[in-house]
């Protein structure tokens, strides 16, 4: 599903988090929102997910206006920065949560829920951790469980807020590859936020460089490297 | 636990033995003197003339009415304050609105106002001398010196307990889990019952126990509002005082002992729950 953003702006009281920005993300792309903290990248992601509402502008999903859709109606899978897993539930229950939360008519049977959760556990290559509590998992495992939980609702798009932020360098590299594989297998339009230029350049099909609430440049990693649109982009993407 | 702690006999954080024993000793003496001794005294005084004499005093109609009254008040006030405490904590921690700090101060008001003053406020507001009170009495709905007044006084005094216990826990947990549940398509009620409530359940339980203890034990506000009418508006604490003033010391201490036992029972209940759910507690507290 392709995502169009038209003149999207967001103010929190007196402060501007996002100046009117426009952006087009092709269907099935893996997009990185890259920028330093305070650049508005997380605000943009949260607006896409329906957790914040823009002050002005529109969001289109496959050409349809999604600006006013509630979080629940959007069906956007969201992976939070510190994962926000439910501490009092097992991994299985965490992943099943979105399916159980459906209206009775649309809710799968217990057997079907079990089948789907196990399939997702296979997808994240952690088939045996269903009965464990999330406190018993490593950081990398938690991240993958959060990913599986977001995928369980059969989302239309996948949004990730600093998905590798809380991990050490080695695990980071491994999971980068993991995200790429999961993205390619699901074919979902995926948007992730990062402040790490190497991560964005290596992983994404399309990189959106942001600063101070504005989009500085949009392009393929090679394009941005070859032709930075501003001094900021050149400095920020210089490894 | 680091390896150093295993290889060294004394952990690095420990003090010399003398200091340790002194600190532990002082703490134990304090607990024995100020917490345990009074409790023992109450039971000793109650049983001074033997079990039968004590049980006889509990058969007094006034004593029975007071016990019924106290249990009824707690049964009404605790659920109401639990519900409102959760609502207040939820509103304060999960949403931003103007006058938030004012609301938080307001929640603390009953802690800073003397219970006697709280009782007096109710008397002034709903008593026979006020317009509102006059109208209520004329319409056969007296509040002061009647059951509703005692409920209101208890509600006022015990309001902060539940909210105060759960607000810090909810602040620490933030909104991320609720937001995650939202993105998974859950409705507000579902989020509350399946995400928020399980996360605060221990703090909530503790708040409810404190609230209950205070609701049953409240003296000052209830004494002013109830008028202490024997058999009608007297609660256990006010009845204890009346027995004591009439030199019925066995009756006074027996009723006091029953009140203390009710409190001990709630604490026992809490320990039992913690012991039964120790594994879940351990699993969810780390993080």
């Amino acid at each position: 599903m392709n995502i169009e953003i038209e003149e999207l702006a967001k103010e929190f009281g007196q402060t501007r988090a996002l100046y009117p920005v426009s952006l087009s993300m092709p269907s099935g792309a893996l997009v990185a929102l890259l920028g330093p903290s305070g650049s508005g990248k997380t605000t943009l992601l949260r607006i896409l997910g329906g957790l914040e509402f823009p002050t002005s502008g529109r969001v289109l999903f496959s050409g349809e206006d999604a600006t006013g859709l509630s979080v629940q109606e959007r069906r956007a899978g969201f992976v939070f920065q510190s994962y926000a897993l439910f501490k009092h539930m097992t991994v299985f229950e965490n992943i099943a949560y979105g399916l159980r939360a459906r209206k009775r008519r649309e809710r799968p049977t217990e057997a079907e829920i079990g089948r789907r959760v196990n399939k997702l556990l296979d997808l994240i290559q952690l088939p045996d951790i269903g009965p464990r509590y999330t406190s018993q998992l490593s950081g990398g495992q938690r991240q993958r469980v959060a990913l599986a939980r977001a995928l369980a609702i059969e989302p239309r798009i996948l949004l990730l807020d600093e998905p590798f932020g809380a991990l050490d360098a080695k695990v980071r590299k491994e999971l980068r590859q993991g995200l790429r594989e999961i993205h390619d297998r699901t074919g979902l339009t995926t948007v992730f936020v990062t402040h790490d230029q190497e991560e964005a350049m290596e992983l994404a099909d399309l990189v959106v460089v942001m600063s101070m609430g504005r989009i500085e440049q949009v392009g393929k990693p090679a394009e941005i490297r070859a032709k930075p649109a501003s001094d900021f982009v050149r400095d920020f993407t210089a490894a | 636990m680091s390896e150093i702690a295993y290889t060294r006999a004394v952990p690095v954080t420990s003090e010399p033995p003398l200091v340790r024993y002194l600190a532990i000793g002082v703490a134990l003496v304090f607990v024995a003197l100020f917490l345990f001794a009074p409790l023992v005294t109450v039971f000793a005084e109650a049983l001074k003339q033997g079990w039968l004499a004590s049980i006889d005093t509990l058969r007094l109609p006034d004593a029975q009415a007071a016990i019924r009254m106290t249990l009824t008040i707690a049964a009404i006030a605790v659920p109401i304050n639990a519900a409102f405490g959760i609502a207040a904590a939820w509103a304060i921690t999960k949403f931003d609105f103007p006058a938030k700090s004012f609301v938080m101060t307001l929640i603390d008001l009953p802690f800073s106002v003397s219970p006697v003053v709280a009782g007096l406020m109710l008397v002034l507001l709903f008593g026979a001398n006020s317009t509102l009170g006059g109208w209520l009495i004329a319409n056969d709905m007296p509040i002061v010196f009647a059951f509703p007044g005692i409920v209101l006084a208890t509600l006022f005094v015990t309001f902060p307990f539940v909210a105060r216990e759960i607000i810090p826990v909810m602040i620490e947990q933030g909104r991320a889990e609720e937001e995650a549940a939202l993105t998974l398509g859950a409705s507000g009620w579902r989020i509350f019952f399946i995400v928020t409530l399980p996360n605060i359940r221990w703090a909530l339980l503790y708040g409810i126990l404190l609230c209950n203890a205070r609701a049953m034990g409240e003296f000052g506000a209830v004494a002013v509002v109830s008028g202490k009418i024997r058999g009608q508006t007297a609660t256990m604490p006010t009845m204890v005082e009346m027995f004591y003033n009439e030199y019925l010391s066995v009756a006074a201490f027996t009723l006091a002992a029953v009140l203390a036992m009710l409190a001990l029972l709630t604490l026992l209940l809490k320990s039992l729950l913690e012991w039964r759910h120790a594994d879940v507690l351990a699993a969810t507290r780390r993080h």
Side-chain angles (χ1 to χ4, degrees):
Chain A
M1 193 175 69
N2 69 319
I3 305 170
E4 295 283 335
I5 292 162
E6 291 178 354
E7 296 295 310
L8 207 63
K10 174 72 184 174
E11 288 159 28
F12 292 103
Q14 297 295 314
T15 40
R16 285 218 128 170
L18 217 53
Y19 287 85
V21 293
S22 298
L23 184 62
S24 170
M25 305 182 201
S27 185
L30 182 51
V31 183
L33 301 180
L34 172 67
S37 54
S39 59
K41 56 193 192 306
T42 297
T43 304
L44 181 53
L45 190 81
R46 288 172 63 86
I47 291 174
L48 290 178
L51 291 168
E52 305 280 359
F53 286 93
T55 316
S56 62
R58 294 203 303 165
V59 177
L60 305 174
F61 287 175
S62 293
E64 264 177 62
D65 193 344
T67 321
L69 285 187
S70 72
V71 199
Q72 290 98 331
E73 291 164 330
R74 258 174 221 235
R75 280 208 5 250
F78 206 109
V79 175
F80 289 80
Q81 190 167 7
S82 48
Y83 318 131
L85 294 173
F86 306 128
K87 289 189 282 293
H88 62 282
M89 292 182 203
T90 60
V91 168
F92 184 98
E93 287 304 319
N94 261 280
I95 298 174
Y97 188 91
L99 296 173
R100 294 200 202 283
R102 284 188 186 171
K103 290 195 192 75
R104 198 175 293 274
R105 267 175 287 117
E106 298 153 28
R107 198 183 303 156
T109 60
E110 263 316 295
E112 175 65 13
I113 289 175
R115 204 184 58 77
R116 287 204 207 173
V117 171
N118 285 326
K119 211 173 133 197
L120 285 162
L121 285 171
D122 285 339
L123 181 72
I124 60 168
Q125 297 174 357
L126 294 169
D128 303 319
I129 62 161
R132 287 208 229 157
Y133 281 96
T134 56
S135 58
Q136 299 162 316
L137 305 179
S138 70
Q141 289 173 327
R142 280 182 203 166
Q143 193 248 33
R144 283 186 278 172
V145 170
L147 195 57
R149 183 178 69 175
L151 290 170
I153 60 166
E154 298 169 304
R156 300 194 288 173
I157 53 172
L158 186 59
L159 308 170
L160 306 97
D161 188 4
E162 295 277 3
F164 311 102
L167 303 169
D168 57 65
K170 185 175 166 288
V171 182
R172 219 174 242 252
K173 289 235 162 84
E174 287 167 20
L175 288 192
R176 236 184 249 175
Q177 198 49 43
L179 178 62
R180 180 82 233 182
E181 278 164 20
I182 285 170
H183 168 263
D184 292 347
R185 278 173 69 175
T186 57
L188 286 168
T189 311
T190 302
V191 185
F192 72 98
V193 157
T194 181
H195 61 264
D196 181 340
Q197 62 85 22
E198 191 197 326
E199 201 165 275
M201 295 297 190
E202 199 173 292
L203 193 54
D205 305 322
L206 191 69
V207 177
V208 179
V209 187
M210 296 182 73
S211 164
M212 314 276 285
R214 291 192 170 87
I215 291 177
E216 296 278 332
Q217 189 173 5
V218 183
K220 294 198 174 81
E223 289 169 10
I224 290 177
R225 278 238 171 79
K227 267 193 253 164
S230 64
D231 290 344
F232 171 83
V233 176
R234 181 173 329 125
D235 290 347
F236 196 73
T237 55
Chain B
M1 187 79 64
S2 68
E3 283 177 21
I4 297 164
Y6 285 116
T7 50
R8 283 180 58 143
V10 180
V12 282
T13 51
S14 190
E15 299 290 334
L18 183 71
V19 178
R20 262 186 292 156
Y21 294 131
L22 205 67
I24 294 168
V26 167
L28 282 181
V29 167
F30 188 86
V31 167
L33 216 59
F34 290 93
L35 293 177
F36 195 63
L39 196 64
V40 172
T41 315
V42 168
F43 283 94
E45 284 289 323
L47 297 173
K48 207 164 57 179
Q49 292 172 19
W51 280 100
L52 292 175
S54 301
I55 288 167
D56 267 349
T57 63
L58 287 180
R59 293 223 180 88
L60 294 172
D62 286 353
Q64 296 214 331
I67 294 173
R68 262 200 307 278
M69 183 58 116
T70 288
L71 292 178
T72 314
I73 299 289
I76 295 171
V78 174
I80 292 178
N81 269 346
F84 280 111
I86 293 170
W90 167 276
I92 282 172
T93 56
K94 308 285 173 183
F95 302 97
D96 294 314
F97 55 90
K100 193 157 148 175
S101 52
F102 176 69
V103 172
M104 279 183 86
T105 314
L106 218 55
I107 290 176
D108 279 340
L109 189 69
F111 274 168
S112 44
V113 172
S114 157
V116 176
V117 175
L120 205 61
M121 292 190 313
L122 289 175
V123 171
L124 291 175
L125 195 60
F126 298 114
N129 293 329
S130 77
T131 325
L132 183 59
W135 183 83
L136 285 167
I137 291 165
N139 286 280
D140 232 15
M141 290 181 287
I143 289 190
V144 172
F145 306 142
F147 183 72
I150 309 174
V151 173
L152 284 178
T154 309
L155 280 175
F156 181 87
V157 172
T158 59
F159 183 76
F161 286 98
V162 171
R164 270 282 139 204
E165 279 297 320
I166 58 182
I167 284 173
V169 178
M170 286 174 101
I171 287 175
E172 191 216 319
Q173 279 166 350
R175 303 173 191 177
E177 284 188 39
E178 274 84 5
E179 284 186 346
L182 267 177
T183 64
L184 295 171
S187 66
W189 284 111
R190 193 181 173 84
I191 295 172
F192 176 72
F193 281 110
I194 302 191
V195 176
T196 309
L197 204 57
N199 274 336
I200 60 166
R201 62 189 159 179
W202 289 102
L204 178 65
L205 176 71
Y206 203 59
I208 286 175
L209 289 177
L210 287 177
C211 180
N212 182 56
R214 184 63 189 270
M216 293 197 297
E218 174 52 29
F219 179 82
V222 169
V224 175
V225 164
S226 72
K228 296 193 279 188
I229 307 165
R230 312 176 72 114
Q232 284 182 41
T233 63
T235 60
M236 285 171 79
T238 54
M239 203 63 228
V240 168
E241 191 218 13
M242 285 191 277
F243 279 146
Y244 189 75
N245 287 343
E246 291 156 18
Y247 302 106
L248 297 168
S249 99
V250 170
F253 280 107
T254 304
L255 205 54
V258 173
L259 197 55
M261 278 198 297
L262 285 174
L264 290 177
L265 200 72
T266 52
L267 284 183
L268 191 74
L269 208 69
K270 173 182 167 269
S271 307
L272 208 70
L273 281 169
E274 278 179 346
W275 173 70
R276 268 196 59 182
H277 298 280
D279 49 339
V280 183
L281 265 175
T284 51
R285 256 185 202 161
R286 266 182 284 150
H287 230 252

